[in-house]
Amino acid sequence: DLARAVEEHLDGTARKERAAVEVARGEELLATLERVEGEREALQERVKTLERDVPTWLPLDDPRKQELWRERNALTDLEPRAARLFGEVIAAGERALSQSGDFAPARELLARAYWRAFEQAEQEGNTRDQVVYGDRVRTYGGAPYQRKMDGDGMLTLRTDPPGAEVWCHRIDQSGLIWTPMEGEVIGKTPIVRMPMKMGSYLLIIRSEGKRDTRYPVYITRE
């Protein structure tokens, strides 16, 4: 019995050691992916600037048009590289979990990688990938990432003079015409760091002797 217990302990230790090696490799890959994505974002901005500033009627051998062509090609080359790196990060995390299914560093690595992918999908308006990556974040990330997924922000509002009553109407964005829903009083100014769900709102600010002020607010993620 003692021999079997020792063997089981050693086997578990060895598995965790192998899992740690995979996580370390995944962390290196994720750091590289972050650098590549930073390069990609910079190139995207550069291409947008050139597309705005370089007239389309310029000849193909014009230096400015040549620069635009080079930057577009560089951006195109980065896309598959970033995709491969992301796949390698995920593979490293999954190999670690195959060695030790409850290995917390592996779950954190996967949660961070999928969270980055979720954020990018959200920025690009890709709802399909948001659903896919969001589910993965919830699977591996636990409560801390659930709060990030909820994305609640905060509202701070001050008026001159203070003491204005603030009505809040959430904006219904389901149709072609966005309309304010039934509102509620959320307090009097100053309002400081009031928790708010992500989304669009119309605030109506009322103060005696003054005209109502309609103030639109958009609460972004966190």
Side-chain angles (χ1 to χ4, degrees):
D1 289 342
L2 176 59
R4 184 163 52 252
V6 170
E7 287 176 357
E8 290 173 354
H9 170 75
L10 291 175
D11 181 63
T13 301
R15 283 179 174 274
K16 287 185 177 180
E17 288 173 352
R18 290 194 291 270
V21 170
E22 292 292 351
V23 169
R25 173 62 176 156
E27 292 286 359
E28 292 177 2
L29 290 165
L30 185 57
T32 303
L33 174 60
E34 290 171 351
R35 289 195 297 271
V36 169
E37 289 182 341
E39 293 174 22
R40 181 175 60 183
E41 290 172 6
L43 272 173
Q44 286 174 334
E45 290 302 315
R46 179 61 179 158
V47 167
K48 286 180 183 178
T49 300
L50 288 170
E51 287 175 340
R52 184 185 66 240
D53 296 342
V54 176
T56 56
W57 46 261
L58 288 176
L60 295 178
D61 58 356
D62 184 274
R64 288 173 293 173
K65 204 160 210 179
Q66 289 287 321
E67 182 184 7
L68 174 57
W69 178 80
R70 286 193 301 270
E71 299 289 49
R72 280 176 174 167
N73 279 351
L75 183 58
T76 300
D77 291 341
L78 278 180
E79 294 291 345
R81 185 182 175 197
R84 282 194 298 270
L85 283 167
F86 175 72
E88 290 172 7
V89 172
I90 298 304
E94 289 177 345
R95 285 194 299 269
L97 287 181
S98 72
Q99 293 294 330
S100 180
D102 61 347
F103 196 56
R107 300 183 72 84
E108 171 63 20
L109 172 68
L110 289 168
R112 278 193 289 129
Y114 281 121
W115 174 251
R116 289 182 63 83
F118 173 84
E119 285 188 306
Q120 183 178 341
E122 186 175 57
Q123 290 170 5
E124 296 172 352
N126 187 330
T127 53
R128 176 186 175 277
D129 283 354
Q130 285 180 59
V131 171
V132 172
Y133 296 137
D135 286 345
R136 290 298 180 182
V137 170
R138 293 185 183 93
T139 297
Y140 295 113
Y145 282 90
Q146 183 59 55
R147 289 193 292 271
K148 291 168 75 69
M149 290 294 299
D150 291 342
D152 294 355
M154 292 187 180
L155 171 71
T156 295
L157 180 67
R158 297 181 174 89
T159 62
D160 183 14
E165 184 180 68
V166 182
W167 283 75
C168 179
H169 301 259
R170 192 173 183 113
I171 301 297
D172 180 5
Q173 298 175 306
S174 60
L176 293 175
I177 299 175
W178 295 358
T179 55
M181 301 168 67
E182 185 175 351
E184 61 178 350
V185 176
I186 59 174
K188 292 189 176 183
T189 59
I191 292 171
V192 180
R193 297 180 66 79
M194 173 179 285
M196 297 277 281
K197 297 288 186 184
M198 288 176 60
S200 291
Y201 299 86
L202 175 64
L203 305 182
I204 299 179
I205 306 167
R206 292 177 173 152
S207 185
E208 186 176 353
K210 303 196 182 321
R211 185 174 59 186
D212 288 356
T213 297
R214 298 166 65 85
Y215 195 78
V217 172
Y218 176 48
I219 303 295
T220 58
R221 180 171 298 284
E222 298 187 286

